[in-house]
Amino acid sequence: MNAEPERKFGVVVVGVGRAGSVRMRDLRDSHASSAFLNLIGFVSRRELGSINGVPQISLEDALSSEEVEVAFVCSESASHEGYIRQFLNAGKHVLVEYPMTLSREAAQGLWELAEEKGKILHEEHVELLMEEFAFLKKEVVGKDLLKGSLLFTAAPLKEEQFGFPAFSGISRLTWLVALFGELSVVSATLVERKEEQYMKMTVCLETEQKSPLTWTEEKGPGLKRNRYLSFHFKSGALENMPNVGINKNIFLKDQNIFVQKLLGQFSKKELAAEKKRILHCLGLAEEIQKLCRPNN
């Protein structure tokens, strides 16, 4: 990225929760990629007026403004698809937090719309920019997996806002696919105690080499946000994650990738591989949901 951009892309941030607030902070700081972006305003369902001098604007104004060329969609997962479609149809580039949509078919359709409009559609995956993932990738490369498991625990999430657990937890699935290649679903079960706000989803997956991987998401009051993993290889085992340092600026790293895409600095091959991985993960999540909720 050149220090002096020839032009700046006008940006609106949709949704100002945790991710949206970090995005706004990064856009206003003097980073290399932020020099290519000009934060024009934010869209929120709440009446906030302005945040740190950044004005709130209506969705209608964001869609119709010629000044706005890019939308950062940071709202709840259930609303992503609608926002992406509106902004692409209005001729804007879109960066969206994961999961892009709550179905593979919808994501495929949105990518086709982006191509038709000649716009960038970028799905954020900050979990692939974490120090832990970089450590794991280095540990796993070139090794033959015998079996593995990944358990994630956290406080409850509202399904109507964030989607079925296989979608709200898609970053864990993305880790497994990015580490071990395409996977297939062997079985999936869901235990729910709604009155206790408790759920446990257990998914048995296998690699293309038929090595078993178990992915578990457990959420309930009092459960701390934690990741437990165990990977057994022919050459030894990796049990749990060592402390590999703080994940610094992961949203900013993602913003850098997005700006590189805006500037045409990603090859078609890289873009195709990323799209294939994202669609594969969304397809797995959908299959898991159908197995856990066959009557829905």
Side-chain angles (χ1 to χ4, degrees), residues 185-190 201-204 287-289 291-293:
V185 181
V186 177
S187 65
T189 56
L190 180 69
M201 178 186 76
T202 308
V203 183
C204 297
E287 201 178 331
I288 292 162
Q289 181 173 353
L291 286 169
C292 291
R293 293 248 174 89

Side-chain angles (χ1 to χ4, degrees), residues 85-191:
R85 183 167 282 112
Q86 283 179 288
F87 279 103
L88 287 176
N89 276 323
K92 321 289 186 193
H93 302 284
V94 178
L95 174 153
V96 62
E97 309 299 338
Y98 72 75
M100 183 194 296
T101 59
L102 300 177
S103 88
R104 186 189 185 284
E105 189 183 354
Q108 180 70 54
L110 290 173
W111 251 310
E112 284 166 12
L113 178 60
E115 279 166 32
E116 183 191 307
K117 298 282 182 185
K119 298 297 162 190
I120 299 295
L121 172 54
H122 168 79
E123 185 187 28
E124 162 270 302
H125 274 286
V126 290
E127 75 280 13
L128 299 179
L129 305 171
M130 290 176 168
E131 301 291 338
E132 293 98 323
F133 182 75
F135 168 83
L136 277 181
K137 193 82 179 153
K138 209 164 66 203
E139 285 293 306
V140 162
V141 73
K143 291 183 181 171
D144 291 323
L145 180 74
L146 296 174
K147 63 175 183 174
S149 65
L150 175 58
L151 160 66
F152 180 75
T153 61
L157 270 184
K158 286 185 178 158
E159 195 175 314
E160 60 273 20
Q161 288 177 312
F162 297 97
F164 183 77
F167 285 99
S168 59
I170 206 160
S171 65
R172 266 74 69 191
L173 192 53
T174 303
W175 259 26
L176 295 174
V177 168
L179 290 171
F180 302 111
E182 293 203 345
L183 304 171
S184 50
V185 181
V186 177
S187 65
T189 56
L190 180 69
V191 174

